[in-house]
Amino acid sequence: MPRMSLAAALAAAPWLVPAVPALAQEAPARSLGVVTITGGQPTSLPTQIPTTTESIDRERIERAINATDSEDALRYFPSLLVRKRYPGDYNHAVLSSRASGTGNSARSLVYADGILLSNLLGNGVGGLGFPPRWGLVTPEEIERVDVLYGPFSAAYPGNSAGAVVDYVTRMPTRFEAHAKAGYSVQPFELHGASATYRTWQTSASLGNKAGDWTWWFNLNRTDSQGQPLTFATRPVLAGTPGGSGVPVSGAVVARNSADVPWYVLGSSTESSSRQDHLKVKLAYDLPGTVRAAYTLGWWENAAQGRSASYLRDAAGAPVASGPVTIQGSSFAPLTGADFPLTQERLAHAMHGLSLKSRTQGRFDWEAAASRYDYRRDEKRQSGAANPLPGAALGGPGTLADGSGTGWTTLALRGTWRPGGMKGAHIVDAGVQQDAHELAYRTSVVPGHWRADAAGPLASHVGGRTSLRSLWMQDAWAFAPRWKTVLGARLERWTAMAGFTRIPGATPAVAADWPSRGETHVSPKAAVSWQWRPDLLLKASAGRAVRFPTVAELYGATSTANAQFLNDPGLRPERSWTGELSAEQDLGGGLLRLTTFAEDTRDALYTQTLLDPVANRNVSRVQNVGRIATRGVEVAWTGSDVLRRGLDVNASVTWADSVIRENAGFVSTPGDTLGKRQPNIPRWRASALASYRWSDRWSTSAGARYSGRQFRTLDNSDVNGNAYMGVSSFFVVDLRARLQIDRTFSAAVGIDNVNNKTYWNFHPYPQRTFVAELRADL
């Protein structure tokens, strides 16, 4: 008996492999553990995928998930977590996976219609922020999301060591129009302070297919308010009895992530953001089953960062500057670094162009190019010597300008089927070039930090990296019930034109870094066996090389309250990853058991620690000798479970990720050996259940759990329930959706129903109420 057919898979788990219009990307088909992609829409996916995959479609997202951003579609995927702090989080929403934490954004890849959204200019959020550009895809556009686990496909660079996320967005088969209005509200209380934060969203889409032309147009605006994210603090033991500071009240006694008492003096970052998104997609069907496609994405953001002191003097007036006395002890003066103000103006453009043949015969090919460009990228911040309340009116500060930064991708690939679609061999091969350029200039603004032009240079950093790749893999059905995928990837990496200028440093830095390059080969292999008609066994292994990013090499930055230290001599990170899987067909669902292992040498890590003397967070990038990870993942999907209309998917993951070798240290030599890899919990789990009460009415409940984590390499942050800590959490989400008539639908939901306060350096959102109204023509 053969593996489940596509029709059977649809019946067993309808949200996993959806029916989509003819012009859209067809759902993946599975045969002997290998996923086959046959669609005509642009995509990053090769035609043969040997790795573990999970998927979700548009209908499941709309019915079961309170999705305000595109990354919310990943909320209940096995072993995945996105560090999203508030709706529209544009600079910290990093994706983590089985053996890659939320500080390692460069160990995963995110694509939309074949266009690279991962920001591989840097890694994590130390210094500048480098999360994927989630804002270039709106939830309303999504047709399907596919996730590939591990570096087992030769089609991807070593950044795929964690996961590959591929968004397929809508393309119409007839005229259609859509509009949506959404609203969310979050009552937030922490450290005795409380406030309510709101988000408004509106979007509109139009599309049509006329003859050989297809077009799609989408507009979206998100106006969001975020809860406090960072906090001004002073260690209790740093106080000096007596002193001449202003006596104040309002300081909150808490314990920091090292479980040491400190005073929390106020909030330092409350972000408000207005983001506008424009997407235009065009497709033209040429003779000979060739399709040309072009995508234009435009994203703008106007953001403000506010601070607020908890401290009050004897008259009840806020205190945000100068020396203070708390409980009879005086502390270091409050400065603009404690309560900074920020203002950002960002405008980014994305272009994608592809030509793709779709004969499904002996040979098909695709050529694709994309460009992501920081057209405007300005961040203004009040200076350390310009504290509140004066900073609200002007005064000195800095202007950081990243305009001209961006990346370009080029790819040419082909698929050869010597025996046709049902032949024993299907060969995929391609050549690629990815180029990244960083240009970041920080200037002093002596007069009015909000409005004046840039003044004297504070720092100027930049450089370029290039990755040229040649890859090939062969999916070979070498015997009945057996299939293997063998491949390799040859990569040539070059770093060039790197420079670091910091005239105000002691001593001054004016470095032009020499060019460097390396060549590596990464083999890949997978084999699957249909042991029984309802049981598939599969093994995969692959090497991945993750090269240093241009920001890690050259991108030193410094502001009033943060500093990033680069290292131009970083070594590439080299990983071997393997997994063994068993997939049991349950008739109405699928049960998968996967054991995985990863051995990584020279792991690239950015560690952020508070410098209490300088009163700022200092991030330093380094190589960690060797990290070994072992784990087990269990995932289950079921349709019509117990009764018709109840669909469930659930997963649980156990991982043991430990630092085995490291010449570096945090405080004393050897203090990281045997410690757990930061941001990787031993246990994590998720579940999502939705019930269709009728054709019009559905409800869903989701749950997410993560065990205790550490953020530091020496695991000294023993208190996760604190600012800068990483805590365990268990949260429950609810959603109800009503199809009012053929045109209108409405939904309401609650995220974090149990109002859990939990942390990943910053506090996550507390209980949030969501409502939306849609019209679809």
Side-chain angles (χ1 to χ4, degrees), residues 39-62:
Q41 222 177 301
T43 177
S44 75
L45 301 175
T47 65
Q48 303 292 299
I49 303 172
T51 182
T52 296
T53 61
E54 297 284 346
S55 303
I56 192 170
D57 74 340
R58 172 171 53 93
E59 188 271 338
R60 177 72 161 167
I61 296 170
E62 292 176 356

Side-chain angles (χ1 to χ4, degrees), residues 265-288:
L265 311 180
S267 62
S268 303
T269 307
E270 293 184 29
S271 296
S272 61
S273 171
R274 188 189 70 238
Q275 300 177 41
D276 293 313
H277 164 271
L278 165 69
K279 179 72 68 65
V280 177
K281 297 189 296 180
L282 302 173
Y284 182 70
D285 292 324
L286 297 162

